[in-house]
Amino acid sequence: MLYAVIVGSEVMFWVFLFGGLAARYLLRRKRLSSVLLICAPLVDLVTLTAAVIDLRGGAAPGLAHVLAAIYIGVSVGFGHSMVHWADVRFAHRFADGPAPAPKPSGGAARVAHERRGITRHLVAWAVGGALLIGAGALVGTSAAWETFGGTAAAWTLVLVIDALWTAGEIAAASRRKPA
């Protein structure tokens, strides 16, 4: 059941996002566009509510609960940039907007780009990690702490690797001249 909610939430995020962009650029309905775009991140509340209800109902902590926490964390950390990414491309394709800017190749612009990326990952990790720890506290069993704490620890390792990679990218970008 929870897997279906997670998949449904992801689908609804994109439906609301593209619906909002279509309302803005194709229908020229700014208010409708705003309402639809506001609904896009609200689907995360459905996922969170479903996961909490499932855990409070006695479900054993499992992959679906872990995925719900990760999904929400990633949505919070990267959601705004995904909306912006889609908005720029939609405006370019359907409303004669400027072409999307390529990723900076070097210099201060590339350093700023890399810092924004790792900051987004840090926000996703903090939100998702807080949800994982909160789920462990909600259930309170050793199995729950093992499941949720183990996932948080693994995500921490991924974040550290990403931070080290980003540090290397920043060092290289600061030596390169922008294209």
Side-chain angles (χ1 to χ4, degrees):
M1 165 67 178
L2 189 54
Y3 289 112
V5 171
I6 294 168
V7 170
S9 293
E10 180 68 10
V11 168
M12 290 310 298
F13 170 83
W14 291 103
V15 166
F16 283 129
L17 175 59
F18 286 118
L21 295 174
R24 175 182 294 170
Y25 295 114
L26 300 177
L27 303 176
R28 305 279 188 228
R29 305 268 318 267
K30 190 163 176 83
R31 185 173 293 165
L32 175 61
S33 170
S34 296
V35 169
L36 291 171
L37 290 173
I38 287 170
C39 288
L42 293 180
V43 297
D44 293 344
L45 295 177
V46 174
T47 303
L48 178 61
T49 302
V52 168
I53 288 171
D54 197 40
L55 288 171
R56 301 265 314 169
L63 180 61
H65 303 100
V66 166
L67 288 176
I70 292 171
Y71 170 78
I72 293 167
V74 169
S75 182
V76 171
F78 292 92
H80 181 74
S81 62
M82 287 189 292
V83 169
H84 177 72
W85 176 90
D87 186 33
V88 167
R89 280 150 184 80
F90 207 94
H92 175 63
R93 175 82 165 95
F94 297 107
D96 296 325
K103 181 166 62 171
S105 61
R110 178 62 184 258
V111 169
H113 173 81
E114 294 296 336
R115 285 188 179 144
R116 283 190 301 274
I118 192 64
T119 300
R120 288 180 186 118
H121 190 174
L122 182 61
V123 169
W125 170 84
V127 171
L131 291 172
L132 289 166
I133 299 305
L138 177 69
V139 176
T141 65
S142 61
W145 283 112
E146 187 175 315
T147 299
F148 297 125
T151 301
W155 196 353
T156 302
L157 178 61
V158 170
L159 178 67
V160 168
I161 291 168
D162 189 19
L164 291 172
W165 182 272
T166 300
E169 288 291 313
I170 287 173
S174 63
R175 291 189 298 270
R176 281 193 306 263
K177 300 278 187 207

